[in-house]
């Protein structure tokens, strides 16, 4: 485990690096930048919705904001953050010296900034940026789209290529680079969930690529895949999109399950309850995610048989998801708990993700979905699974592993303050959305009827609180990297995993000789 | 490149300066809301839950919603209860010593099977409701609904009655120049009228992009899709006015295409229908009539307000569509102008084809209006027969 050659100097280090830790760091910073950008878009939305009437932006710009907010958060913030964590952690967790395909690793990161530059540049183009929602349903996104849609399509292609390369790398690393003795059923759950996520990505990213390619053909080459006037089918678009889109939702949550499964046992000082059942539950969720896509389309006019099939299949997902929650609770039960910042985020993750799961179960009931569909109830639902789900788990992971990465402890008081600000901000923002949704407010509207005014005002105030507390997060992270109490090698009390057996900060090269596995 | 940087800078400035206004808005927000308070009934404000609605189906859906809600609440109480119990009792600071257990097949089986049973219990009523909702047979009245960017078109099949329904909230209300009315954004110029206690079947489709026709009180929401006709049905039990909105993102004015359903006693409905037919009759007669310039101008202004402002601006200054002030069409040969209105613009899908959306009187008036408004001052005018002749000759 020598430090015999360290990182190169200057910008070249980052441009040419094949080191999994450097690449992980770049992914994480990139993701945070996109998180702030997507957050600014969200605040423009919430500022406009602060009161009825049109005040700050025009409807056409509002639609660009909802679209770009979704795209930036899904493809720019959440997915790269998980890839960054995977890069940092998977080699250290399985006892490998680096990722299996380090040069491809460099490439899969470095094409991302170009994809997003392309996407963001559309905002300044004639006719504006994409304005058809992150789900870009045809024909609004084809025949009726602004000219910038072509840039959007290429940006999606590049992001897809990046994700596929990242996934191949992760699968190759996990299957080939484990230290001798690290059997599959000994792998930490974060590794397991990422292995399954990577397969999901490889399965569905090409479907998304196919979808946007058909759009491209319709727009520029006179085909009519999605145009009824030319003999095509606008509903086909939705089936193809959601065949990608539903597994995508799980792509954004499975690694979060892995993170919670690492953090909760450490701070409960008790091994994870039901490791094997966690693995099976993850695999079942992944399988089910392929056969539920049309629950996003209950109002599209499917035959009743299809409607029933997708309703039952969707309800079924509650079973393995429930198993996971029960396992986490049992891990805490009769433990010896402390509540450091990562644990606070992890607990909030379990509770709030479950609330999102409950509203998901309600949405699965097709007849009731006729009332919920495309309202703020849905917005509340998916923000409850994604913000406390994906985002909180990523923050928990950063607090949990940051001392290992940079060798310094973060300031616990500041960390807790950040947690509480985020927690309050999040609930104040998204909880009232359940109410306005049930009361009948459709999503994606720049202006609304007067009876929705009060809750919208509250939600907007929560959003600004949540937004500004993330700037505070940035401050805490930078402060920790620049100094602070030195972290021990173990960092926490008896944490489980190979990453805690190496020094803090983790040397540039680790496990150049495989560690012994108990 | 310079152009892009210039555009970039100006856009950033715009957004930034508007965000700077936010504190002001925050401070004045309370007052603005207070002003509209009077307009909104207290019971409607702070609305928390789904409406029970006014049909058997809507009540069934409401019950289903509440059933599942309470099941979720109880599961939540148990799971979070245990969690909080451990968080309070099993803390290191109170001296808790961690137990060693970490698996139990019996427990895992139990919490797989019990939820599965609960799910089956939920699925049974859900399935029976769904079957009812899908039974669109034996309707008394068929109404075709077509979604357009951004208005709804209703056609009473077999009755020779049909019309468009546009948002009737004024731009001034939207931009805060005048106080907002009670039904802000949920009011239309012509509501859909139906009789109570009759099975109405809706045949829903769209003309351009996707829309969705949704009225919460009827619990009817169906996507309107070009090339498809979706069906849905309702039997309304109480007379009243029920409001809804388009529920599928359909472009710029998606938030501004409401739905109003007026449900009335059978007799009132028959009177309304007769009135409508009478109106159609009179319209047909008027087609051959000659109108004065003032009549055309006044009518044209109304047509313009209802159909064109969204894209061409209140004063013809443009927006999504080009400016109509002094443009080659509005101040050019009148036949080209008629052609644009009747056939749309070749190769452009945004400008609607108004040939069969507006009647000949409206077409003649709106063209006359545009040619004489905003300083265009062409001085010429059209009569309905001119449009008829144009249509015949093409
Ligand atoms: Cu619409």
């Amino acid at each position: 485990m020598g430090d015999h050659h360290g990182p190169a100097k200057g910008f070249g280090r980052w441009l040419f690096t094949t080191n999994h830790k450097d690449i992980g760091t770049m992914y994480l910073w990139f993701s945070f930048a996109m998180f702030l950008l997507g957050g600014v878009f969200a605040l423009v939305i919430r500022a406009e919705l602060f009161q009825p009437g049109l005040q700050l932006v025009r409807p056409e710009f509002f639609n660009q904001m909802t679209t770009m907010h979704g795209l930036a958060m899904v493809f720019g913030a959440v997915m790269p953050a998980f890839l960054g964590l995977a890069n940092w952690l998977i080699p250290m967790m399985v006892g490998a010296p680096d990722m299996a395909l380090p040069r491809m690793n460099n490439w899969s990161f470095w094409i991302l900034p170009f994809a997003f530059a392309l996407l963001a540049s559309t905002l300044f183009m004639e006719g504006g940026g994409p304005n058809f929602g992150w789900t870009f349903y045809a024909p609004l996104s084809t025949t009726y789209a602004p000219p910038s849609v072509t840039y959007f399509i290429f940006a999606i292609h590049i992001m897809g290529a990046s994700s596929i390369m990242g996934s191949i790398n992760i699968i190759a690393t996990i299957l080939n680079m484990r230290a001798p003795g690290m059997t599959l059923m000994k792998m930490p759950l974060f590794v397991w969930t990422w292995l399954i996520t990577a397969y999901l990505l490889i399965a569905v990213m090409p479907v998304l690529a196919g979808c946007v390619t058909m759009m491209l053909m319709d727009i520029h080459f006179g085909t009519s895949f999605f145009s009824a006037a030319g003999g095509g089918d606008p509903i086909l678009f939705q089936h193809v999109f959601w065949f990608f889109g539903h597994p995508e939702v799980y792509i954004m949550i499975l690694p979060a399950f892995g993170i919670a499964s690492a953090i909760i046992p450490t701070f409960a000082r008790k091994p994870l309850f039901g490791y094997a059942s966690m693995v099976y539950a993850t695999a079942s969720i992944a399988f089910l995610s392929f056969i539920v896509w049309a629950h996003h389309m209950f109002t599209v006019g499917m035959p009743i048989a299809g409607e029933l099939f997708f309703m039952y299949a969707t309800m079924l997902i509650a079973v393995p998801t429930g198993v996971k929650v029960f396992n986490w609770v049992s891990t805490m039960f009769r433990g010896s708990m402390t509540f450091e910042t990562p644990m606070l985020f992890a607990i909030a993750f379990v509770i709030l993700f479950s609330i999102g799961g409950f509203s998901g179960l309600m949405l699965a009931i097709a007849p009731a979905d006729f009332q919920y569909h495309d309202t703020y109830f849905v917005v509340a639902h998916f923000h409850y699974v994604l913000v406390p789900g994906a985002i909180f788990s990523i923050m928990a992971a950063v607090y949990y592993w940051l001392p290992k990465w940079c060798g310094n402890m973060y300031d616990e008081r500041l960390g807790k303050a950040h947690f509480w600000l985020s927690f309050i901000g999040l609930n104040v923002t998204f909880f009232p959305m359940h109410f306005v949704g049930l009361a009948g407010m459709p999503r994606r509207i720049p202006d609304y009827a007067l009876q929705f005014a009060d809750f919208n005002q509250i939600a907007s105030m929560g959003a600004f609180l949540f937004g500004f507390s993330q700037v505070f997060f940035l401050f805490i992270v930078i402060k920790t990297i620049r100094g602070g109490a030195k972290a021990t090698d173990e960092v926490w009390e008896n944490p489980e995993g190979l990453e805690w057996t190496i020094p803090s900060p983790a040397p540039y090269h680790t496990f150049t000789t495989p560690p012994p596995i108990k | 490149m310079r152009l892009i940087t210039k555009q970039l800078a100006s856009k950033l400035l715009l957004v930034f300066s508007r965000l700077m206004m936010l504190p002001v808005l925050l401070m004045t927000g309370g007052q603005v809301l207070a002003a509209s308070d009077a307009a909104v009934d207290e019971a409607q404000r702070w609305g928390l839950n789904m409406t029970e609605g006014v049909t058997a189906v809507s009540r069934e859906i409401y019950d289903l919603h509440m059933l599942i809600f309470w099941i979720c609440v109880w599961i939540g109480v148990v799971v979070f209860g245990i969690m909080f119990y451990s968080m309070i009792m099993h803390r290191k600071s109170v001296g808790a010593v961690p137990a060693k257990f970490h698996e139990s097949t019996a427990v895992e089986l139990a919490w797989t099977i019990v939820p599965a049973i609960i799910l089956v219990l939920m699925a049974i009523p859900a399935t029976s409701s769904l079957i009812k909702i899908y039974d669109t047979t034996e309707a008394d009245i068929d109404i075709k609904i077509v979604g357009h960017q951004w208005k709804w078109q209703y056609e009473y099949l077999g009755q020779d009655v049909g019309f468009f329904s546009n948002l009737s909230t004024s731009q001034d209300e939207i931009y805060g120049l005048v106080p907002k009315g009670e039904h802000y954004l949920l009011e239309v110029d012509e509501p859909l009228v139906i009789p109570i206690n009759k099975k109405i079947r809706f045949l829903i489709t769209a003309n351009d992009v996707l829309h969705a026709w949704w009225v919460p009180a009827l619990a009817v929401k169906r996507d309107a899709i070009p090339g498809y006709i979706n069906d849905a049905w309702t039997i309304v039990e109480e007379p009243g006015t029920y409001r809804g909105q388009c529920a599928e993102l359909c472009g710029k004015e998606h938030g501004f295409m409401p739905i109003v359903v007026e449900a009335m006693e059978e007799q009132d409905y028959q009177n309304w229908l007769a009135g409508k037919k009478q109106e159609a009759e009179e319209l047909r007669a008027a087609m051959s009539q000659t109108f004065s310039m003032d009549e055309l101008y006044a009518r044209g202004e109304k047509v313009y307000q209802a159909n064109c402002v969204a894209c061409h601006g209140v004063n013809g200054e443009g927006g999504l569509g080009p400016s109509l002030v002094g443009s080659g069409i509005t101040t050019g040969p009148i036949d080209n102008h008629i052609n644009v209105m009747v056939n749309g613009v070749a190769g452009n899908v945004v400008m609607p084809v108004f040939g069969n959306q507006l009647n000949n009187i409206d077409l003649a008036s709106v063209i006359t209006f545009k040619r004489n408004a905003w300083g265009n001052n062409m001085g010429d005018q059209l009569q309905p027969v001119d449009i008829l002749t144009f249509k015949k000759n093409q």
Side-chain angles (χ1 to χ4, degrees):
Chain A
M1 262 192 251
D3 232 359
H4 53 278
H5 89 242
K9 295 274 174 290
F11 186 63
R13 162 178 178 182
W14 301 104
L15 197 56
F16 301 118
T17 184
T18 54
N19 180 290
H20 73 102
K21 302 187 181 78
D22 282 353
I23 294 174
T25 304
M26 290 195 295
Y27 263 119
L28 288 169
W29 278 114
F30 175 78
S31 141
F32 192 75
M34 287 300 121
F35 179 54
L36 290 188
L37 182 68
V40 169
F41 296 154
L43 292 186
V44 172
I45 296 171
R46 283 315 323 169
E48 176 56 54
L49 293 176
F50 181 72
Q51 54 181 19
L54 291 176
Q55 290 87 26
L56 298 167
V57 295
R58 296 275 163 156
E60 52 270 40
F61 190 67
F62 183 90
N63 288 346
Q64 293 171 40
M65 287 293 100
T66 53
T67 308
M68 295 296 257
H69 164 69
L71 293 171
M73 289 304 192
V74 169
F75 295 103
V78 175
M79 292 171 66
F82 281 137
L83 269 160
L85 293 171
N87 258 291
W88 254 104
L89 298 172
I90 289 176
M92 299 199 313
M93 285 177 161
V94 300
D98 204 312
M99 296 294 279
L101 307 160
R103 283 165 205 259
M104 191 167 84
N105 204 11
N106 170 293
W107 185 233
S108 64
F109 170 76
W110 271 112
I111 60 177
L112 265 190
F114 292 95
F116 279 90
L118 209 58
L119 185 63
S121 70
T122 59
L123 280 178
F124 307 106
M125 290 177 187
E126 192 69 44
N131 55 10
F132 27 67
W134 86 276
T135 52
F136 53 98
Y137 280 6
L140 192 61
S141 62
T142 53
T143 323
Y144 294 81
S148 63
V149 64
T150 310
Y151 289 80
F152 157 84
I153 290 172
F154 281 113
I156 294 279
H157 269 309
I158 301 175
M159 292 170 205
S162 160
S163 296
I164 290 174
M165 285 193 278
S167 316
I168 291 174
N169 212 345
I170 286 170
I171 294 174
T173 308
I174 297 175
L175 294 186
N176 297 316
M177 309 267 293
R178 278 170 291 133
M182 173 66 78
T183 58
L184 285 177
M185 289 309 272
K186 274 191 189 161
M187 295 193 310
L189 264 169
F190 181 71
V191 180
W192 255 116
T193 51
W194 240 120
L195 179 64
I196 292 171
T197 303
Y199 276 110
L200 287 183
L201 272 168
I202 289 188
V204 300
M205 280 321 225
V207 178
L208 178 66
C211 183
V212 293
T213 305
M214 285 190 267
M215 282 170 61
L216 189 76
M217 303 288 284
D218 274 9
I219 295 167
H220 292 293
F221 303 107
T223 57
S224 298
F225 287 106
F226 304 134
S227 151
D233 183 348
I235 300 182
L236 171 69
F237 176 93
Q238 298 185 29
H239 283 295
V240 179
F241 177 83
W242 286 113
F243 189 81
F244 147 79
H246 198 79
E248 169 68 23
V249 173
Y250 289 92
I251 287 164
M252 293 191 281
I253 203 65
L254 293 184
F257 291 165
I259 293 167
S261 306
I263 293 176
I264 294 176
T266 299
F267 297 97
R269 293 171 181 73
K270 197 163 146 273
L272 181 71
F273 189 86
Y275 171 89
S277 78
M278 285 297 221
V279 173
Y280 301 137
T282 311
S284 336
I285 292 176
F287 168 73
L288 287 173
S289 78
F290 283 109
I291 56 166
V292 298
W293 75 88
H295 68 211
H296 298 273
M297 304 161 54
F298 278 146
T299 62
V300 88
M302 267 185 293
I304 190 162
E307 205 90 351
L308 288 173
F309 171 79
F310 285 108
M311 173 168 82
Y312 299 150
T314 306
M315 292 170 77
L316 213 53
I317 291 198
V319 175
T321 313
V323 167
K324 291 197 156 275
V325 173
F326 300 145
N327 279 332
W328 288 319
V329 174
S330 310
T331 307
M332 292 188 217
F333 189 71
R334 294 189 49 213
S336 172
M337 268 186 273
T338 52
F339 301 93
E340 286 84 345
T341 311
M343 182 64 161
L344 289 177
F345 274 105
I347 291 173
F349 161 81
V350 176
I351 296 177
L352 300 180
F353 175 79
S354 301
I355 292 178
F358 288 142
S359 57
L361 187 57
M362 296 169 77
L363 287 160
I365 308 295
D369 186 65
F370 290 140
Q371 292 284 45
Y372 307 136
H373 181 70
D374 265 333
T375 68
Y376 260 83
F377 190 76
V378 177
V379 178
H381 159 70
F382 69 74
H383 282 91
Y384 260 84
V385 286
L386 283 177
V387 182
I391 305 280
F392 269 25
S393 77
I394 292 164
M395 286 172 179
V398 169
Y399 282 110
Y400 187 58
W401 280 292
L402 187 61
K404 173 56 64 188
W405 298 338
C406 72
N408 302 324
M409 283 310 278
Y410 61 90
D411 184 326
E412 192 63 61
R413 279 207 338 272
L414 296 185
K416 282 188 173 148
H418 169 230
F419 168 76
W420 285 110
L421 287 174
S422 301
F423 181 82
I424 294 168
L426 168 124
N427 286 293
V428 173
T429 310
F430 297 113
F431 211 81
M433 291 185 185
H434 291 112
F435 303 141
V436 284
L438 290 175
M441 178 167 162
R443 66 192 282 205
R444 293 168 165 165
I445 56 175
D447 191 6
Y448 47 81
L450 300 179
Q451 67 263 34
F452 307 129
D454 306 272
F455 282 126
N456 269 290
Q457 199 162 60
I458 294 173
S460 289
M461 292 193 276
F464 277 86
L465 176 64
F466 185 81
F468 286 116
S469 41
Q470 304 325 317
V471 180
F472 186 44
F473 178 51
L474 176 66
F475 167 77
I476 296 173
V477 170
I478 291 178
K479 185 168 178 293
T480 311
I481 294 173
R482 300 187 54 170
K486 292 284 159 251
T488 60
D489 292 353
E490 277 214 310
V491 182
W492 313 107
E493 208 181 312
N494 266 326
E496 179 126 18
L498 289 175
E499 73 269 33
W500 309 109
T501 62
I502 55 177
S504 300
Y508 199 55
H509 295 288
T510 41
F511 297 132
T512 40
T513 48
I517 310 289
K518 290 188 293 285
Chain B
M1 196 62 212
R2 277 219 6 244
L3 193 75
I4 292 187
T5 29
K6 229 177 93 188
Q7 279 201 355
L8 189 141
S10 71
K11 288 223 176 170
L12 282 180
L13 259 174
L14 190 77
V15 172
F16 187 71
S17 61
R18 294 201 166 162
L19 281 178
M20 287 288 93
M21 278 166 55
L22 200 73
V24 183
L25 275 177
L26 283 169
M27 279 180 288
T28 54
Q31 291 164 18
V32 175
L33 283 184
S36 45
D37 267 5
V40 188
D41 178 41
E42 270 308 311
Q44 270 197 336
R45 278 185 63 172
W46 304 105
L48 295 175
N49 204 356
M50 184 189 286
T51 170
E52 283 189 55
V54 289
T55 69
V57 166
S58 72
R59 274 190 295 275
E60 214 173 294
I61 289 180
Y62 174 82
D63 291 340
L64 202 56
H65 155 73
M66 290 315 286
L67 170 75
I68 294 154
F69 171 73
W70 283 117
I71 291 177
C72 289
V73 168
W74 284 114
I75 298 175
V77 166
V78 173
V79 175
F80 299 150
I82 296 174
M83 200 168 156
F84 277 96
Y85 173 81
S86 338
M87 289 199 290
I88 293 162
M89 306 302 288
H90 307 148
R91 273 180 297 156
K92 193 179 175 194
S93 57
V94 298
V97 180
K100 290 271 176 293
F101 66 86
H102 63 90
E103 64 191 344
S104 156
T105 312
V107 174
E108 298 280 358
L109 269 180
W111 64 40
T112 307
I113 293 168
V114 173
I117 294 172
I118 298 177
L119 288 178
V120 173
L121 294 180
M122 288 184 189
I124 293 168
T127 304
S128 94
S129 297
L130 200 63
I131 291 171
K132 262 182 227 161
I133 294 171
Y134 263 72
D135 178 15
T136 52
T137 54
E138 291 170 31
D140 300 311
I141 296 174
D142 282 329
I143 301 176
K144 184 173 161 203
I145 302 177
V146 186
H148 296 261
Q149 273 182 328
W150 292 282
K151 58 193 161 213
W152 293 101
Q153 179 184 15
Y154 300 110
E155 215 176 292
Y156 291 68
L157 295 186
Q159 297 288 347
D160 201 20
V161 167
F163 51 88
F164 282 87
S165 182
N166 287 289
L167 175 74
S168 63
T169 304
S170 71
Q171 294 287 311
D172 284 354
E173 277 176 77
I174 294 172
Y175 285 98
L177 304 177
V178 298
K180 302 186 191 335
E182 182 182 357
H183 298 301
Y184 178 66
L185 295 190
L186 296 180
E187 52 200 352
V188 297
D189 53 1
E190 262 201 271
L192 175 70
V193 175
I194 56 171
I196 57 168
N197 297 326
K198 283 267 152 66
K199 185 163 181 175
I200 321 276
R201 176 164 49 197
F202 302 116
L203 302 164
I204 303 168
T205 184
N207 185 49
D208 33 49
V209 299
L210 307 182
H211 303 267
W213 197 83
W214 180 34
V215 179
L218 314 189
V220 172
K221 184 186 285 145
R222 271 290 185 286
D223 291 358
I225 302 167
Y228 279 84
I229 295 185
N230 276 333
D231 53 359
W233 65 274
T234 192
I235 300 177
V236 178
E237 290 161 3
E238 292 163 36
T241 307
Y242 307 109
R243 293 165 202 277
Q245 281 176 273
C246 175
E248 180 66 64
L249 179 63
C250 56
K252 179 172 155 281
E253 306 283 308
H254 163 56
F256 305 91
M257 51 182 292
I259 296 153
V260 178
V261 176
E262 204 83 68
M264 45 181 73
E265 302 282 352
E266 172 72 15
Q267 194 49 52
D268 297 335
Y269 168 74
Q270 289 302 346
N271 294 344
W272 174 84
L273 205 60
K276 270 285 164 198
K277 287 182 180 163
Q278 173 86 26
E279 235 175 70
E281 209 48 58
E282 281 163 13
L283 200 66
R284 230 164 310 191
M287 291 296 174
S288 49
Q289 225 171 303
T290 311
F291 294 86
S292 74
M293 184 71 173
D294 288 345
E295 282 170 329
L296 289 169
Y297 191 91
R299 186 178 184 122
E301 185 163 16
K302 282 210 195 85
V303 176
Y304 184 84
Q305 294 301 344
N307 296 286
C308 325
V309 274
C311 300
H312 291 289
V314 185
N315 295 310
E317 72 277 12
L320 199 54
S323 163
L324 300 177
V325 181
S327 89
I329 298 289
T330 49
T331 58
I334 202 160
D335 271 357
N336 291 352
H337 199 164
I338 305 179
N339 187 34
V340 165
M341 294 309 301
V342 172
N343 299 318
V345 178
N348 181 298
V349 291
V350 180
M351 171 69 190
V353 176
F354 282 104
N356 44 18
Q357 288 190 22
L358 297 176
N359 63 48
N360 292 351
I361 307 178
D362 287 342
L363 284 169
S365 327
V366 77
I367 295 174
T368 306
F369 168 72
K370 283 184 295 176
R371 298 180 77 77
N372 294 288
W374 319 306
N376 282 348
N377 298 340
M378 294 297 289
D380 51 3
Q381 58 171 25
L382 283 173
Q383 295 296 336
V385 279
D386 299 328
I387 307 285
L388 189 69
T389 323
F390 180 89
K391 282 182 178 170
K392 273 200 183 132
N393 289 344
Q394 61 175 350

